[in-house]
């Protein structure tokens, strides 16, 4: 199965074919998918908010970890790639019903390790909400 082709087939639609139950709960819309680069749109839901009514930092981190996982899916590797760490900087907020865009790219793709970056923006990409990097490790299935 060509995993990248599956991702691309959902461009403009909710990614309901994800093997991740968590991603299905996040309910992203695929804006674009290329090998090592993905762009998803999410709508901030009430259950994602902190007590101040802003997008919770933990949900932001979870979105990053999940879309970076989908980016690994786009590589069509024979191995399974797992997160070994995340580092996130938070810059701004989002509110309930706000559309947000998460975009990823591979910084370095080695034989055993992959380093990836994710940025989360407001809908028109004029305000950076958060930026994170992740190191991932290739393991046998």
């Amino acid at each position: 199965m060509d995993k990248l082709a599956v991702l691309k087939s959902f461009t403009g639609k909710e990614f309901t074919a994800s093997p991740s139950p968590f991603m299905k709960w996040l309910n992203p819309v695929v804006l674009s998918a290329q090998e090592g680069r993905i762009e998803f749109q999410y709508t901030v839901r009430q259950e994602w908010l902190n007590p101040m009514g802003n997008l919770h930092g933990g949900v932001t981190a979870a979105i990053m970890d999940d879309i970076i996982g989908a980016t690994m899916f786009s590589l069509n590797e024979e191995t399974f790639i797992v997160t070994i760490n995340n580092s996130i900087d938070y810059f701004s907020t989002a509110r309930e019903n706000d559309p947000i865009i998460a975009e990823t790219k591979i910084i370095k793709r080695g034989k055993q390790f992959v380093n990836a970056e994710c940025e989360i923006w407001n809908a028109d990409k004029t305000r950076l909400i958060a930026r994170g990097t992740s190191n991932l490790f290739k393991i046998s299935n």
Side-chain angles (χ1 to χ4, degrees):
M1 167 180 60
D2 184 339
K3 298 171 192 170
L4 178 57
V6 171
L7 278 163
K8 284 183 175 185
S9 74
F10 280 87
T11 302
K13 299 181 273 189
E14 294 174 2
F15 187 44
T16 57
S18 174
S20 165
F22 186 70
M23 183 176 283
K24 288 178 184 176
W25 180 77
L26 289 171
N27 198 31
V29 172
V30 178
L31 298 180
S32 67
Q34 302 169 24
E35 183 176 320
R37 287 184 175 265
I38 292 181
E39 189 173 23
F40 284 174
Q41 181 173 311
Y42 303 82
T43 301
V44 177
R45 301 195 310 251
Q46 189 277 328
E47 65 265 30
W48 296 3
L49 303 178
N50 66 22
M52 298 299 293
N54 295 315
L55 178 61
H56 192 288
V59 174
T60 303
I63 288 170
M64 284 189 180
D65 189 49
D66 209 52
I67 190 173
I68 287 173
T71 305
M72 298 307 105
F73 191 75
S74 79
L75 299 176
N76 279 314
E77 292 268 352
E78 293 295 320
T79 58
F80 191 74
I81 305 173
V82 297
T83 304
I84 56 174
N85 71 359
N86 287 313
S87 177
I88 301 168
D89 294 309
Y90 299 89
F91 301 104
S92 189
T93 62
R95 310 280 291 175
E96 186 174 357
N97 296 317
D98 283 355
I100 58 174
I101 296 172
E103 56 187 18
T104 63
K105 66 180 176 182
I106 301 296
I107 304 301
K108 182 172 186 331
R109 183 178 178 184
K111 291 180 183 177
Q112 289 186 306
F113 295 95
V114 178
N115 178 268
E117 179 182 79
C118 178
E119 293 181 337
I120 298 180
W121 293 86
N122 66 335
D124 63 4
K125 293 188 182 178
T126 58
R127 187 170 36 85
L128 180 62
I129 295 168
R131 175 183 293 132
T133 58
S134 182
N135 289 303
L136 302 105
F137 182 66
K138 299 177 185 182
I139 61 172
S140 299
N141 289 348

